[in-house]
Amino acid sequence: MPRTVRDVVFVDGVRTPFGKAGPKGIYNGTRADDLVVKAIRELLRRNPDLDPKKIDEVAIAATTQIGDQGLTLGRTAGILAGLPQSVPGYSIDRMCAGALTAVTAVAGGVAFGAYDVALAGGVEHMGRHPMGEGVDPNPRFVSEKLVDESALFMGMTAENLHDRYPTITKLRADEYAVRSQEKAAKAYADGKIQQDLVPISVRNTNEAAGETGWGLVTTDEPMRPGTTLENLANLKTPFRTHGRVTAGNAAGLNDGATAAIIASEDFARENNLPVKMRLVSYSFAGVEPEVMGYGPIPATEKALAQAGLSIEDIGLFEINEAFAVQVLAFLEHYGIADDDARVNQYGGAIAFGHPLASSGVRLMTQLARQFEEQPHVRYGLTTMCVGFGMGATVIWENPNFNAEGDSK
């Protein structure tokens, strides 16, 4: 019997504040799986009409699936969060697009009818598990020239992207980074970010600095408000001598977790759950691994074609800022100005941080807030580049859209 594809909606999303990775970071003494558990519990607290017994799946992403990020994290985090043992779960790895892929994977199940409601998210504790820990890349990649050796180092791929777009100078990248910091600081000042943050109790273990005891994390640690072009001008370019990529115009090494509720629209409305965004289309695309940051461009082209839309139909963009050059390449390709008001209105990963597999849901929660505030916007997209040469894009429709207004 043929099935009818169902409308899929983003019900709600939360995240922990993001921290700096390393022994001095806020989450140095906190387990990765506990960060996911906190996010799941907060989702349930915020949505008391969702009966946990009705949750059909828990999909949690992590790039480095070992230690406290291993052991089928979707299943174990669900149990630790107090979900009934009848609720299954699994883990996902698509590097930076892990949480985004968790959302699209369960969304496919919802559309098909296998699920009514599912949880999806991601975590990365780069302080405990640096990117690439424990991996053993096949020597054929380099010996047979399947990829350029620079593909194994994300910063070098960003330098390669600068080469491909010579008009994207270090100055443009630094100017973009300053705007990201300014927009993030304004979003905090206006109370736009705190609404979706989960306060996290942490134990400070930096005994050498005399800092011990318990504390409550309520804000993102990586932000550098007040950053100026002068601050960024003389930063080292660690990936290439006289290069263009610095710690100031790229996301750092970070810790954090995200989680979201994805459901059929009928289920959400029948169970008195909010409908914050409606899924329109999604797509993934591969590119040369050595220019990984180019990936959002073909992924977006595919997603737009699936939806029957053009880039002019998109009224809001949430683009992950792994590197400033990666965002600027996307904007340049589509003829969008570097400072276009539709792009990353609250700032991005250069300010907030980018804990790899968790970041996709951060993009979604920020877009959902913007949809709520801007009913004249009908469509928005979330997009990101992905390690080893991929891109990922999801297009969303604003359920608050006012048909009498301008849809752009």
Side-chain angles (χ1 to χ4, degrees):
M1 181 177 180
R3 292 176 179 265
T4 301
V5 175
R6 302 190 298 174
D7 287 334
V8 180
V9 297
F10 182 93
V11 170
D12 198 8
V14 299
R15 68 178 178 91
T16 70
F18 289 167
K20 296 179 181 178
K24 296 182 180 179
I26 52 178
Y27 296 132
N28 180 51
T30 304
R31 290 178 59 97
D33 48 9
D34 283 338
L35 293 176
V36 178
V37 167
K38 293 285 189 182
I40 293 174
R41 285 178 172 171
E42 177 63 12
L43 275 179
L44 298 177
R45 186 195 70 78
R46 285 168 44 137
N47 297 277
D49 290 328
L50 175 58
D51 181 353
K53 295 189 177 99
K54 293 182 179 179
I55 296 172
D56 293 305
E57 188 70 273
V58 181
I60 301 295
T63 303
T64 308
Q65 296 193 8
I66 59 176
D68 53 346
Q69 291 182 177
L71 200 61
T72 315
L73 196 53
R75 172 60 169 169
T76 54
I79 292 174
L80 289 165
L83 296 181
Q85 293 188 0
S86 58
V87 178
Y90 64 104
S91 297
I92 284 178
D93 172 20
R94 201 196 291 265
M95 300 184 80
C96 304
L100 186 151
T101 304
V103 168
T104 59
V106 300
V110 171
F112 181 73
Y115 309 143
D116 288 320
V117 60
L119 306 185
V123 64
E124 210 72 52
H125 200 309
M126 300 180 77
R128 285 174 175 258
H129 307 296
M131 189 174 183
E133 179 189 12
V135 302
D136 180 18
N138 195 303
R140 289 181 52 227
F141 282 122
V142 175
S143 65
E144 298 182 16
K145 298 186 178 356
L146 299 175
V147 300
D148 186 86
E149 191 171 3
S150 62
L152 302 174
F153 305 95
M154 298 302 101
M156 293 173 69
T157 70
E159 289 285 6
N160 293 341
L161 194 59
H162 269 288
D163 294 341
R164 180 165 290 195
Y165 286 85
T167 56
I168 302 178
T169 61
K170 180 179 181 297
L171 177 60
R172 277 180 68 186
D174 286 349
E175 288 172 339
Y176 182 89
V178 169
R179 284 193 296 273
S180 181
Q181 296 285 353
E182 291 173 345
K183 288 189 285 188
K186 185 178 187 303
Y188 258 94
D190 294 342
K192 307 297 187 186
I193 304 300
Q194 298 92 324
Q195 301 173 70
D196 297 318
L197 295 183
V198 185
I200 303 292
S201 296
V202 296
R203 180 166 178 77
N204 195 317
T205 58
N206 189 8
E207 296 180 6
E211 298 172 357
T212 58
W214 289 90
L216 189 67
V217 177
T218 59
T219 59
D220 293 299
E221 186 181 22
M223 293 190 303
R224 297 183 294 275
T227 296
T228 65
L229 282 175
E230 291 71 26
N231 297 147
L232 303 183
N234 296 316
L235 292 179
K236 295 179 180 179
T237 56
F239 305 106
R240 184 185 294 179
T241 303
H242 306 301
R244 292 141 297 192
V245 179
T246 72
N249 58 35
L253 304 178
N254 305 111
D255 307 329
T258 60
I261 301 171
I262 306 298
S264 74
E265 185 162 357
D266 288 343
F267 178 91
R269 300 200 182 280
E270 289 166 3
N271 288 271
N272 198 33
L273 298 173
V275 172
K276 295 188 175 182
M277 300 194 293
R278 187 176 295 114
L279 181 64
V280 176
S281 67
Y282 64 85
S283 187
F284 301 89
V287 297
E288 306 99 306
E290 53 269 23
V291 286
M292 171 270 303
Y294 186 82
I297 294 170
T300 297
E301 290 174 346
K302 288 175 67 176
L304 288 169
Q306 289 171 1
L309 299 173
S310 71
I311 199 71
E312 288 75 23
D313 293 310
I314 305 302
L316 288 167
F317 295 82
E318 276 295 323
I319 308 172
N320 191 46
E321 297 171 355
F323 302 94
V325 63
Q326 162 248 310
V327 181
L328 294 171
F330 180 94
L331 299 181
E332 186 154 310
H333 176 85
Y334 284 111
I336 299 171
D338 292 3
D339 59 352
D340 192 294
R342 298 171 295 169
V343 177
N344 292 10
Q345 292 187 343
Y346 295 168
I350 289 172
F352 299 122
H354 173 31
L356 302 184
S358 69
S359 286
V361 167
R362 179 190 65 78
L363 303 176
M364 295 171 191
T365 57
Q366 293 189 188
L367 181 60
R369 286 287 171 200
Q370 293 158 26
F371 272 173
E372 188 177 17
E373 297 167 359
Q374 300 168 68
H376 63 283
V377 173
R378 183 170 186 180
Y379 297 110
L381 66 76
T382 52
T383 188
M384 58 203 315
C385 60
V386 188
F388 229 66
M390 292 182 285
T393 297
V394 186
I395 297 176
W396 302 92
E397 183 179 24
N398 186 355
N400 309 300
F401 174 64
N402 178 1
E404 297 178 358
D406 185 356
S407 66
K408 297 178 184 175

